[in-house]
Amino acid sequence: MLEKIDRALGGREPDGDGLASSGVIADVAGIANRRSPWEAVQLARNIQRPHSQELIGLVFDRFQELHGDRGFGDDPAVIAGLADLGGRSVVVVAQQKGSSTEENIARSFGMPHPEGYRKAIRLFRLAEKFGLPVITFIDTPGAHPGPEAEERGQAEAIARSIQVMGELEAPVVAVVIGEGGSGGALALGVGDVVLMMQNAVYSVISPEGCAAILWRSASEAERAAKALRGAGPDLLELGVIDGLVPEPEGGAHTDRQAVAAGLRRALVAQLDRLASVPLSDLLAARYDRYREIGSFADPSAAAAEKAKPWWRRALGKAGL
Amino acid sequence: MLEKIDRALGGREPDGDGLASSGVIADVAGIANRRSPWEAVQLARNIQRPHSQELIGLVFDRFQELHGDRGFGDDPAVIAGLADLGGRSVVVVAQQKGSSTEENIARSFGMPHPEGYRKAIRLFRLAEKFGLPVITFIDTPGAHPGPEAEERGQAEAIARSIQVMGELEAPVVAVVIGEGGSGGALALGVGDVVLMMQNAVYSVISPEGCAAILWRSASEAERAAKALRGAGPDLLELGVIDGLVPEPEGGAHTDRQAVAAGLRRALVAQLDRLASVPLSDLLAARYDRYREIGSFADPSAAAAEKAKPWWRRALGKAGL
Amino acid sequence: MRLRVPFVKRSESAQHLWTQCPHCGEMLFNKQLARNLNVCTKCEHHFRVGARERIEQLADRASFAEIDPTLVSMDPLGFVDQKPYPARIAESQAKTAERDAVVCGDATIGGHPVTLAAMEFSFMGGSMGTVVGEKLARAAEHARDGRRGLVIVSASGGARMQEGTIALMQLVKTVAAVTRHGKAGLPFVSVLTDPTTGGVLASYASLGDVILAEPGALIGFSGARVTSSTIGAELPEGFQRAEFLLRHGFVDQVVPRAQLRDRIAFFLGAFSRPAREMRWGV
Amino acid sequence: MRLRVPFVKRSESAQHLWTQCPHCGEMLFNKQLARNLNVCTKCEHHFRVGARERIEQLADRASFAEIDPTLVSMDPLGFVDQKPYPARIAESQAKTAERDAVVCGDATIGGHPVTLAAMEFSFMGGSMGTVVGEKLARAAEHARDGRRGLVIVSASGGARMQEGTIALMQLVKTVAAVTRHGKAGLPFVSVLTDPTTGGVLASYASLGDVILAEPGALIGFSGARVTSSTIGAELPEGFQRAEFLLRHGFVDQVVPRAQLRDRIAFFLGAFSRPAREMRWGV
Ligand SMILES: [Zn+2]
Ligand SMILES: [Zn+2]
């Protein structure tokens, strides 16, 4: 999926997308022992897993947090600010789960309210103004489902964030570092490059929610997890993401330093690459990246195509 | 102050600004009996005075209200929507006082909350997107001073509205139709042309507030009103506004139809005029319009200018 | 590619001559109900209407020309719950006579050229998978190419679970497409009908230049059950209804069905009469 | 025009060797207090500091070159309350040794070139009339012309009543000027100090790319007395203080004075290291 960008850079060299050379898994064949989706869900949710705040400290050279959405509040479930990464200034926006029960309560278990997404949008615009790349870390069970979040427009905030990321005139790299729960995750997940940590998950609905609806029993969550194919390797195969940042055998929490170093390496490589892409190409490639995800068939179009006289077919679709 | 725009249109013809020919008072000499500032304050606050909703009905051909700020709520103190005016689509944003005690309570006495200004901003951007002119009606004692308004960023909302109006890529005509109270009024008051109804007032602080601070007695309000020079004719003399829409002898409420007809005529004339100004000229003139309001002296600059050798003076300020 | 396809009228089954209004209990004669745009003649409860009926209500007579009618879903995940996904699709196709949950086409509304899309809630809950995402994106792109307004009438439970994360990505696709359309200075009127929830509300449907809703429509991000269990308490009366969203600033107008066509036409008209000299004056 | 003007140090009057902290009651030796940037050594209460002292605290040593030092107010309204406006100006000039309520100039902060403005609250409550409006607008325009960052340290009761509606118009002037500066891709750091209220907060001061506030600073639109009488009740603890604004999303950081210079330098640095190839790649 990164080919478009590399083509914009003047032809695709071997590893032009900078993934493999920066240690990122770009092909599922490279995964030694592939976890089951349910194992991945457990690892992704492990409270000991390094969360955004810790990773920000380990990955970036300096970080200053910026607070507030300039309209209602400051959401502790979203950490946003400016940082250095190898001599480059970047805007960082991340969902923060707690690493303890107390922190989880303070951070709404990483479930942002609308003001969290609006803070993110503010920071995205700041990045655009100053030509800084954006890096997001995704780690949320989903957007907060409470009535106050509904009152303040949770859906509008998510839609707007998706919109702003999609049209943002700055390079964007998104990384699912743990749990990528539905629209609440996607709201920080639109980018030129989308990576996942090896054991992260990213799904349209939680396995429990899916099981409750389709099997009418939350205890079928493991089956649902398998059916949803939301583990990193699945999504790499499906073309939804671009690569996986490796984790040690036991999961990210067993060697935090190594994981952070790998993440840093991957981010630096992608920023290096994206920095030289002209903005117009970048935006076109970002549009196409999402435009092309999905699978459908159009039997009548194929039939219609065949039924056309040869000269029309030669002229191509544009001629119709 | 409208000369810049007319110059952009290729030289200023007699009445190039379209004021006098559309019945607007552009020169205080044209006012038969000038009201005292305190009388104007009373007339401007008269509950029988036609308020925005009524004027919108009388001035425009059709009107459809749009609701909400897309972030928190819908402020009944601000009416905003789309209307027709002589075959032209316009965006209308207006503060609405009540014409009864019940309505006043429902409308917060015309004192907007931050979401009112944010609704206005949303409509301004809509106007910009579709190239529609903006017309605002100002009628407020001021922005709501309650603690919830503070919590939701009253100051930020006003500042942002001033910013958006100032840079808006669409023609803007603002009319103070009644009470123009401080920053809460100004937030809808940045335009290419700013008019007032003849008996409207527009001031940095209410006479009562000013008296309480400077005379330490609210009963000195009449003196404060005089000192503040916030009546229409004063502000026309001071160069803050561009013209006055005439009112009948007894005030706007004594002949609502005539007042509305006069207002409509003035608006149509100004929109006709502004429609042909290239946007870049319009924005430059709008900037200069406010840039030039004020009076100060710079003795040393004058002295420094004189002390320069002749060739430096000839090169002008830019050379320094 | 445009195919002019005749409306497929859903058969009014003989055994249902009467419908009981779920709101006021009134027994309504089906023909009368249909003549009243499927709005209860007693209490004005707005019944759900299907995509084709909606288009008939909104488009100028005989103006609708469907585009992309034949797109059908694949099964990218090989998804099986109690039934395989392809079986569910086949069922919905049989039930609705639609190939997926949205119908798109060109039309005029009050004389204004638009691309009009209406969702079919009876098709897997109007859920948005690849086909819905693709058809809406094409509709927006097509409207942009033809400098037409865009009107989308949503009725959806959200993203289609059976397409997993791929369904989630349709949020981005549709948002990006309506955004490009908007950047060309063209209007997008988003109409929210009962129900518009989840990923559809959290994407293009919340991004209309004007957002209209039908009276009483359920509109929200999280399911009310989820929300209710989160706070462990009853939700306020009218929670996530159209009028609630109006009060909270997310809907421009709640428009009774009988006025919807004229209202959309008004806004399309307002947005297409710019001060032209301004636009080219820069 | 730039004039290099020596700092006018406010005389530390002999009779005040000690100052009592209004917050914790501690008696503080003035010299020690000054050395501690006028922050209480016991409770960290931030005393107000004047414009010149502020500039000394923030600008790199000897880097400050004042601009527009000589602008003075006229009296456009002929305003007389208990005293004529010109007499009030003269009093404030004598008291502060400033010509009006803001000092502007070029400087570097941590090596980053900026135009720096600091308000003098002792001059008529830091109120913004024509001179403040003009000087801030010139500062922003000058920064734009020289492609410098803009740092404004506010301390103001709001618009200057004695200039009536003309003072109100300074809100537009300053907003428009910082907006133009911003549109050139240049950073504006707004620093809110005790107190920043009324028309100053409702204009440029709320529009920083980054908004920093000093601990405990009073920051609000309406006077607390007005607000309190509106609700007829006591206001919550901490209402309109810097920390309150941080909680409600209007301030990026509350920064202790000792860290302010470095923090500003960090942000100026962050905003001036764009991915350059990107910016010229379009
Ligand atoms: Zn009924
Ligand atoms: Zn102390």
Side-chain angles (χ1 to χ4, degrees):
Chain A
M1 218 163 344
L2 303 176
E3 288 164 39
K4 278 232 172 61
I5 291 173
D6 292 315
R7 239 180 285 136
L9 290 175
R12 183 173 165 81
E13 323 140 47
D15 193 38
D17 56 19
L19 290 172
S21 64
S22 64
V24 170
I25 302 164
D27 186 342
V28 286
I31 302 173
N33 67 332
R34 202 163 151 179
R35 301 264 180 195
S36 82
W38 188 240
E39 284 173 325
V41 168
Q42 303 314 314
L43 280 170
R45 290 176 180 171
N46 189 324
I47 197 169
Q48 289 175 46
R49 193 174 172 85
H51 295 132
S52 288
Q53 196 166 40
E54 182 181 353
L55 284 179
I56 289 170
L58 293 170
V59 166
F60 300 102
D61 301 320
R62 296 194 292 176
F63 177 70
Q64 282 292 331
E65 190 170 356
L66 298 177
H67 291 275
D69 69 343
R70 300 287 184 273
F72 182 84
D74 181 51
D75 187 342
V78 174
I79 294 176
L82 291 155
D84 284 1
L85 181 62
R88 203 179 247 124
S89 293
V90 296
V91 163
V92 181
V93 178
Q95 287 152 336
Q96 174 66 11
K97 286 185 176 183
S99 297
S100 65
T101 305
E102 294 70 38
E103 196 196 350
N104 257 327
I105 290 166
R107 305 247 185 215
S108 295
F109 294 81
M111 297 185 291
H113 281 74
E115 53 271 24
Y117 296 114
R118 294 183 181 127
K119 171 165 65 176
I121 290 167
R122 181 171 78 85
L123 273 277
F124 296 150
R125 290 297 186 201
L126 211 55
E128 187 170 54
K129 175 171 176 183
F130 295 108
L132 308 181
V134 171
I135 294 170
T136 65
F137 289 169
I138 294 158
D139 193 12
T140 181
H144 199 282
E148 291 180 352
E150 294 287 322
E151 283 178 4
R152 299 201 290 272
Q154 191 66 283
E156 193 275 348
I158 292 171
R160 196 68 64 185
S161 191
I162 292 171
Q163 181 177 48
V164 170
M165 293 191 89
E167 67 173 13
L168 201 75
E169 301 194 349
V172 183
V173 179
V175 188
V176 186
I177 63 162
E179 197 174 1
S182 193
L186 180 64
L188 300 189
V190 183
D192 302 303
V193 177
V194 181
L195 305 176
M196 286 174 76
M197 301 299 298
Q198 186 174 349
N199 292 311
V201 293
Y202 193 7
S203 179
V204 69
I205 186 170
S206 70
E208 291 81 359
C210 179
I213 296 171
L214 293 184
W215 281 269
R216 305 192 187 283
S217 158
S219 61
E220 299 286 350
E222 185 170 348
R223 277 169 71 176
K226 193 170 170 224
L228 286 166
R229 299 194 63 194
D234 290 318
L235 296 173
L236 190 55
E237 283 174 328
L238 289 167
V240 171
I241 62 159
D242 303 299
L244 297 170
V245 180
E247 293 186 26
E249 182 62 31
H253 60 290
T254 61
D255 190 347
R256 319 168 95 82
Q257 300 286 342
V259 162
L263 181 53
R264 182 186 163 105
R265 211 173 137 208
L267 292 172
V268 168
Q270 290 309 313
L271 294 189
D272 282 348
R273 192 171 136 266
L274 295 173
S276 54
V277 184
L279 263 184
S280 53
D281 291 342
L282 197 71
L283 290 169
R286 195 185 303 156
Y287 186 88
D288 291 343
R289 184 191 189 286
Y290 291 92
R291 190 70 187 77
E292 287 164 14
I293 296 178
S295 66
F296 60 91
D298 191 352
S300 81
E305 187 71 17
K306 273 189 207 150
K308 277 188 234 166
W310 67 268
W311 52 269
R312 245 202 197 293
R313 266 176 286 160
L315 285 171
K317 284 176 191 176
L320 197 94
Chain B
M1 217 159 347
L2 302 177
E3 288 164 38
K4 278 232 172 64
I5 291 173
D6 292 316
R7 241 181 283 137
L9 289 174
R12 182 173 165 82
E13 324 140 45
D15 192 37
D17 56 20
L19 291 170
S21 63
S22 65
V24 169
I25 302 164
D27 184 342
V28 285
I31 302 172
N33 67 332
R34 202 163 151 177
R35 300 267 180 192
S36 81
W38 188 240
E39 284 173 325
V41 167
Q42 304 312 316
L43 280 170
R45 290 177 179 171
N46 190 324
I47 197 169
Q48 291 175 45
R49 192 173 175 85
H51 294 133
S52 288
Q53 196 166 38
E54 182 180 353
L55 284 178
I56 289 170
L58 293 169
V59 166
F60 299 103
D61 301 322
R62 296 193 292 176
F63 178 71
Q64 283 291 334
E65 190 169 357
L66 299 178
H67 291 275
D69 69 343
R70 299 287 183 273
F72 183 83
D74 181 51
D75 187 344
V78 174
I79 294 176
L82 290 154
D84 284 1
L85 181 62
R88 202 179 248 122
S89 293
V90 295
V91 163
V92 181
V93 178
Q95 287 152 336
Q96 174 66 10
K97 285 186 176 182
S99 296
S100 65
T101 305
E102 294 70 40
E103 197 195 350
N104 257 326
I105 289 167
R107 304 244 185 219
S108 296
F109 295 82
M111 297 185 293
H113 281 74
E115 52 270 25
Y117 296 114
R118 293 182 182 129
K119 171 165 64 177
I121 291 168
R122 181 170 77 87
L123 272 278
F124 297 151
R125 290 297 186 201
L126 212 54
E128 188 170 54
K129 174 172 178 181
F130 295 108
L132 308 181
V134 172
I135 293 170
T136 65
F137 290 169
I138 293 158
D139 194 12
T140 182
H144 199 283
E148 290 180 354
E150 293 287 321
E151 282 178 4
R152 298 201 290 271
Q154 191 65 283
E156 194 275 350
I158 292 170
R160 196 69 63 185
S161 190
I162 293 171
Q163 180 176 47
V164 170
M165 293 191 88
E167 67 173 12
L168 201 75
E169 300 194 349
V172 183
V173 179
V175 188
V176 186
I177 63 162
E179 198 175 0
S182 193
L186 180 64
L188 300 188
V190 182
D192 302 303
V193 178
V194 181
L195 305 176
M196 286 175 75
M197 301 298 299
Q198 187 173 348
N199 292 311
V201 292
Y202 193 7
S203 180
V204 68
I205 186 171
S206 71
E208 291 81 359
C210 179
I213 295 170
L214 293 183
W215 281 270
R216 304 191 188 283
S217 156
S219 62
E220 298 288 349
E222 185 169 348
R223 276 168 73 177
K226 196 172 169 219
L228 286 166
R229 298 195 63 193
D234 290 317
L235 296 173
L236 190 54
E237 283 174 329
L238 289 166
V240 171
I241 62 159
D242 303 300
L244 297 169
V245 180
E247 294 186 25
E249 182 63 30
H253 60 289
T254 62
D255 191 347
R256 319 167 94 80
Q257 300 286 341
V259 162
L263 180 52
R264 182 186 163 105
R265 213 175 137 204
L267 291 173
V268 169
Q270 290 309 311
L271 293 191
D272 282 348
R273 194 170 135 267
L274 295 174
S276 53
V277 183
L279 263 185
S280 53
D281 291 343
L282 197 71
L283 290 170
R286 195 184 304 155
Y287 187 87
D288 291 345
R289 185 191 187 286
Y290 290 93
R291 191 70 188 76
E292 287 164 13
I293 296 178
S295 65
F296 61 91
D298 192 351
S300 81
E305 187 71 16
K306 271 189 206 149
K308 276 189 232 164
W310 66 267
W311 52 268
R312 246 201 196 291
R313 267 176 284 159
L315 285 172
K317 286 176 190 173
L320 198 94
Chain C
M1 166 205 38
R2 295 180 206 173
L3 297 176
R4 202 167 268 271
V5 167
F7 285 128
V8 181
K9 261 268 182 187
R10 271 187 296 159
S11 61
E12 288 170 24
S13 50
Q15 68 262 46
H16 287 115
L17 286 171
W18 299 86
T19 299
Q20 187 173 23
C21 174
H23 188 249
C24 71
E26 184 82 354
M27 291 303 294
L28 301 160
F29 189 45
N30 282 353
K31 283 201 174 166
Q32 201 181 358
L33 185 57
R35 221 179 299 129
N36 200 38
L37 306 173
N38 274 309
V39 174
C40 171
T41 48
K42 191 178 174 204
C43 76
E44 306 209 340
H45 170 75
H46 282 54
F47 287 78
R48 289 176 184 163
V49 298
R52 302 278 167 189
E53 186 175 346
R54 176 70 66 179
I55 288 165
E56 265 192 291
Q57 290 178 6
L58 295 180
D60 295 340
R61 184 173 297 272
S63 73
F64 185 74
E66 189 169 357
I67 49 178
D68 300 318
T70 55
L71 263 55
V72 289
S73 269
M74 309 276 273
D75 180 17
L77 309 188
F79 196 99
V80 179
D81 50 276
Q82 305 192 326
K83 284 175 205 167
Y85 176 41
R88 288 199 186 265
I89 291 175
E91 269 175 29
S92 276
Q93 285 175 339
K95 184 172 78 174
T96 62
E98 301 295 345
R99 287 192 178 79
D100 210 297
V102 71
V103 177
C104 305
D106 283 345
T108 59
I109 296 180
H112 302 285
V114 295
T115 300
L116 170 62
M119 294 184 83
E120 178 61 56
F121 186 72
S122 314
F123 195 108
M124 293 189 75
S127 58
M128 178 159 75
T130 302
V131 171
V132 171
E134 178 70 22
K135 286 180 79 169
L136 290 177
R138 284 191 188 186
E141 289 168 347
H142 172 79
R144 178 170 174 264
D145 293 344
R147 296 206 62 77
R148 297 171 154 267
L150 179 65
V151 177
I152 306 180
V153 184
S154 297
S156 170
R160 189 171 293 173
M161 276 178 289
Q162 289 84 353
E163 295 188 25
T165 317
I166 288 175
L168 188 63
M169 295 301 135
Q170 307 309 310
L171 277 65
V172 185
K173 185 184 290 183
T174 56
V175 166
V178 302
T179 302
R180 276 203 174 178
H181 174 264
K183 287 201 159 186
L186 300 165
F188 167 32
V189 178
S190 178
V191 183
L192 312 181
T193 72
D194 188 57
T196 302
T197 61
V200 163
L201 189 66
S203 62
Y204 73 87
S206 283
L207 299 175
D209 295 305
V210 167
I211 301 180
L212 307 177
E214 286 203 324
L218 179 74
I219 303 165
F221 177 64
S222 296
R225 260 174 310 172
V226 178
T227 302
S228 173
S229 72
T230 301
I231 57 164
E234 284 295 299
L235 291 166
E237 176 75 15
F239 182 68
Q240 290 185 335
R241 295 290 164 182
E243 298 74 13
F244 173 91
L245 272 90
L246 180 69
R247 209 160 55 242
H248 288 287
F250 297 99
V251 157
D252 282 301
Q253 296 189 347
V254 175
V255 184
R257 195 170 287 162
Q259 298 168 34
L260 194 53
R261 172 193 221 141
D262 285 353
R263 201 59 57 81
I264 293 171
F266 172 85
F267 289 118
L268 292 170
F271 291 137
S272 57
R273 278 184 295 136
R276 290 200 184 279
E277 294 160 286
M278 290 299 312
R279 309 213 70 193
W280 310 115
V282 199
Chain D
M1 167 203 40
R2 294 179 207 175
L3 298 175
R4 203 168 267 273
V5 168
F7 285 129
V8 183
K9 262 265 180 187
R10 273 187 295 159
S11 59
E12 288 170 24
S13 49
Q15 70 263 44
H16 288 114
L17 286 171
W18 298 85
T19 298
Q20 188 173 24
C21 174
H23 188 251
C24 71
E26 183 82 353
M27 292 303 295
L28 302 159
F29 189 44
N30 281 353
K31 282 199 173 166
Q32 202 181 358
L33 186 58
R35 222 177 298 128
N36 199 38
L37 305 173
N38 274 308
V39 174
C40 172
T41 47
K42 191 177 173 204
C43 75
E44 305 209 340
H45 169 75
H46 282 56
F47 287 80
R48 289 176 184 164
V49 297
R52 301 278 168 189
E53 187 175 345
R54 176 69 67 180
I55 289 166
E56 265 191 292
Q57 290 178 5
L58 295 181
D60 295 340
R61 183 174 297 273
S63 74
F64 185 74
E66 189 168 358
I67 49 178
D68 300 318
T70 56
L71 264 54
V72 289
S73 269
M74 310 276 272
D75 180 17
L77 309 187
F79 196 98
V80 179
D81 50 276
Q82 303 189 329
K83 283 176 203 165
Y85 176 40
R88 287 198 187 265
I89 292 174
E91 268 176 29
S92 277
Q93 286 176 338
K95 184 172 77 176
T96 62
E98 299 296 347
R99 288 191 179 79
D100 211 296
V102 71
V103 177
C104 304
D106 283 344
T108 59
I109 296 180
H112 302 285
V114 296
T115 300
L116 170 63
M119 295 184 83
E120 177 60 56
F121 187 71
S122 314
F123 194 108
M124 293 190 73
S127 58
M128 179 159 72
T130 303
V131 170
V132 171
E134 178 71 22
K135 287 179 78 168
L136 290 177
R138 285 190 188 187
E141 289 168 346
H142 171 79
R144 178 170 175 263
D145 293 343
R147 295 205 64 78
R148 296 171 155 267
L150 180 65
V151 178
I152 307 180
V153 185
S154 297
S156 170
R160 188 170 294 173
M161 274 180 288
Q162 290 85 353
E163 295 188 24
T165 317
I166 289 174
L168 188 63
M169 296 300 136
Q170 306 311 309
L171 276 66
V172 185
K173 185 184 290 183
T174 55
V175 166
V178 302
T179 302
R180 276 202 174 180
H181 174 265
K183 287 201 158 185
L186 300 165
F188 167 31
V189 178
S190 178
V191 183
L192 313 181
T193 72
D194 188 57
T196 302
T197 61
V200 162
L201 190 66
S203 62
Y204 72 88
S206 284
L207 300 175
D209 296 304
V210 167
I211 301 180
L212 307 177
E214 287 203 322
L218 179 75
I219 303 166
F221 178 63
S222 297
R225 261 174 308 174
V226 179
T227 303
S228 171
S229 72
T230 301
I231 57 164
E234 284 295 299
L235 292 165
E237 177 75 15
F239 182 68
Q240 289 186 336
R241 295 290 165 184
E243 297 74 14
F244 173 92
L245 272 91
L246 180 70
R247 207 159 57 241
H248 288 288
F250 297 100
V251 157
D252 282 299
Q253 295 190 346
V254 174
V255 184
R257 195 169 288 161
Q259 298 168 33
L260 194 52
R261 173 195 222 139
D262 284 354
R263 202 59 57 82
I264 294 170
F266 172 85
F267 289 119
L268 292 170
F271 292 138
S272 56
R273 277 183 295 138
R276 290 200 183 279
E277 295 159 286
M278 290 298 312
R279 310 213 69 193
W280 311 115
V282 199

